[in-house]
Amino acid sequence: MAPAPGDRDARRKDVSHAVWQVLAEKGFGGLTLRAVAAAMNVSTGMLMHYFPTKLALIAHALDLLDKRTAERPRRVRATPGLASVRAMLLDILPLTPDDTARNRIWVSSWDLALADGDLAADQAERYVRLRASIRPHFEDARGLGEVPETADPVQLAAGAVAFTHGLVVQALFDPARFPKRVQTALLDDYLGALARPADLTVRS
Amino acid sequence: MAPAPGDRDARRKDVSHAVWQVLAEKGFGGLTLRAVAAAMNVSTGMLMHYFPTKLALIAHALDLLDKRTAERPRRVRATPGLASVRAMLLDILPLTPDDTARNRIWVSSWDLALADGDLAADQAERYVRLRASIRPHFEDARGLGEVPETADPVQLAAGAVAFTHGLVVQALFDPARFPKRVQTALLDDYLGALARPADLTVRS
């Protein structure tokens, strides 16, 4: 007898949960039908009903990553300008166990994406969208006089994304040296430096 | 008859070259004996003489990555302070095809490293050393009055590494939007912001 629709939905959730668990622990490099089956205590044969190929499993994992990223809880952005940039970047950093798992899976996905033209293009587009979502807040910051008038919001957004993702990687490898307090202080130093008017220039 | 020692050294170089090629193209996720054998046009059986296990292949790949990173050409650091920081960070960015391949392989290695306690500890130590190598130049910059007296060289080094590695990742995925000129401009903006004395503060 086929399972009732409600059972099927519940089972799909179980599968997604197991895929996420495997990714958080072993990354895409360790994502196999066998590992997911073991996490669920079922046979790989049962899982092949959901994922007939390795590619189907990877596609599901990437969808899940996008979905959980889009649905993650976010800080309120009540104050415009740099305070909103700060809230957006804090939403990215690995400050909680859930944020850490999600970031760990994103970093893991880069190996896969760099090896595949389509996935690399998807990731490049994700970066375009991320920078575009931050840019208006830097425009506000400039309008409010929080950053110098000469600052380019497009460059500022690219720089802020660079700083944040590079901090993500360091924090993932060394959570003891990069607790929430340290990550937040580094971010505030970064934003504080942007907020200062030009004076000295770098000698090259 | 066993090959002469000179032949063995030449063959070892060929093997390393093929491992690097596979890594640059497919990352650690695509590093298999079969892929390396195909790149060399030899049998996997021949390669098993060098790498009896997958783990031996990975260990060789990681050694190669450390070795090629240590031996890469570097800019002269004639001027102390921020100019030296700039030279060090330019040495990291993917500005040439060789730099791009090396960075692509580093980013790829993070998936592997995050899934293995020992490799993760190695990577955390690499970050400690990288930050420690940049810190003295920020100390010089502070002594020279290039950054505010209140700036902490330890924090500055962590921030500079974060900024640089996050820029590496964006540039790898989108080389067309991040040519040498754009990467350099972003780095100079970053260093330029550090060089400004405190004035405004970020509202939180």
Side-chain angles (χ1 to χ4, degrees):
Chain A
M1 199 180 87
D7 289 353
R8 277 206 296 268
D9 286 353
R11 178 46 67 96
R12 254 192 215 108
K13 269 190 194 170
D14 289 348
V15 170
S16 293
H17 179 76
V19 168
W20 193 257
Q21 260 188 296
V22 170
L23 286 171
E25 208 175 302
K26 304 178 184 185
F28 278 90
L31 181 66
T32 59
L33 282 178
R34 205 163 63 167
V36 177
M40 293 183 71
N41 205 17
V42 299
S43 69
T44 53
M46 192 291 279
L47 268 189
M48 289 189 71
H49 176 70
Y50 294 88
F51 310 117
T53 64
K54 176 75 189 274
L55 216 61
L57 175 60
I58 290 175
H60 177 75
L62 289 169
D63 281 349
L64 200 60
L65 185 50
D66 269 328
K67 195 162 165 281
R68 295 213 173 181
T69 301
E71 290 172 355
R72 74 192 194 278
R74 300 189 196 208
R75 284 160 185 79
V76 178
R77 291 158 206 171
T79 317
L82 283 184
S84 285
V85 173
R86 182 178 190 269
M88 292 186 79
L89 301 183
L90 284 173
D91 281 346
I92 293 173
L93 291 173
L95 304 180
T96 68
D98 279 356
D99 295 338
T100 302
R102 197 182 57 251
N103 271 296
R104 188 253 177 278
I105 299 169
W106 272 120
V107 171
S108 153
S109 77
W110 294 340
D111 182 27
L112 193 72
L114 284 168
D116 179 297
D118 290 342
L119 294 180
D122 287 351
Q123 184 58 30
E125 278 308 308
R126 262 188 218 100
Y127 268 124
V128 168
R129 289 195 300 272
L130 178 56
R131 293 191 298 263
S133 71
I134 297 175
R135 197 191 55 227
H137 300 290
F138 276 122
E139 285 165 359
D140 289 348
R142 197 174 55 177
L144 291 162
E146 292 181 318
V147 298
E149 263 183 44
T150 51
D152 176 358
V154 172
Q155 296 278 95
L156 289 173
V161 168
F163 179 83
T164 307
H165 274 186
L167 183 51
V168 164
V169 176
Q170 282 182 89
L172 287 179
F173 278 112
D174 209 340
R177 282 195 186 84
F178 291 87
K180 184 175 175 172
R181 180 184 52 75
V182 171
Q183 292 186 57
T184 308
L186 283 166
L187 176 60
D188 284 336
D189 281 357
Y190 176 72
L191 294 174
L194 297 183
R196 291 161 190 159
D199 188 63
L200 301 166
T201 49
V202 184
R203 294 172 299 161
S204 56
Chain B
M1 199 179 89
D7 289 352
R8 277 205 298 267
D9 285 353
R11 179 45 66 96
R12 255 191 215 109
K13 269 192 190 167
D14 289 348
V15 170
S16 293
H17 179 76
V19 167
W20 193 256
Q21 260 188 297
V22 170
L23 286 172
E25 208 176 302
K26 305 178 183 185
F28 278 90
L31 181 67
T32 60
L33 281 179
R34 206 161 62 165
V36 177
M40 293 184 72
N41 205 18
V42 299
S43 69
T44 53
M46 193 291 279
L47 269 188
M48 289 188 70
H49 177 70
Y50 294 89
F51 310 117
T53 62
K54 176 74 189 274
L55 217 60
L57 175 58
I58 289 174
H60 177 75
L62 289 169
D63 280 349
L64 201 59
L65 185 50
D66 270 329
K67 195 162 164 282
R68 295 212 172 181
T69 301
E71 289 171 357
R72 74 191 195 278
R74 301 188 194 206
R75 284 161 184 78
V76 178
R77 289 156 206 171
T79 317
L82 284 185
S84 286
V85 173
R86 183 177 189 267
M88 292 187 79
L89 301 184
L90 284 174
D91 281 346
I92 294 173
L93 291 173
L95 304 180
T96 68
D98 279 357
D99 295 338
T100 302
R102 198 183 55 250
N103 272 295
R104 186 255 177 277
I105 298 169
W106 271 120
V107 171
S108 154
S109 77
W110 294 341
D111 182 27
L112 193 73
L114 284 167
D116 180 297
D118 290 341
L119 294 180
D122 286 349
Q123 184 58 31
E125 278 308 307
R126 262 188 217 99
Y127 269 123
V128 168
R129 289 195 300 272
L130 178 57
R131 292 190 299 264
S133 70
I134 297 174
R135 197 193 55 228
H137 301 289
F138 276 121
E139 284 165 358
D140 289 347
R142 197 175 55 178
L144 291 161
E146 293 181 317
V147 298
E149 263 183 46
T150 51
D152 175 359
V154 172
Q155 296 279 94
L156 289 173
V161 169
F163 179 83
T164 307
H165 274 185
L167 183 51
V168 164
V169 176
Q170 282 182 88
L172 287 179
F173 278 112
D174 209 341
R177 282 196 185 82
F178 290 88
K180 184 175 176 174
R181 179 183 52 77
V182 170
Q183 292 185 58
T184 308
L186 283 166
L187 176 61
D188 284 335
D189 280 357
Y190 176 73
L191 294 173
L194 296 183
R196 290 159 190 160
D199 188 63
L200 301 165
T201 49
V202 184
R203 294 172 299 163
S204 56

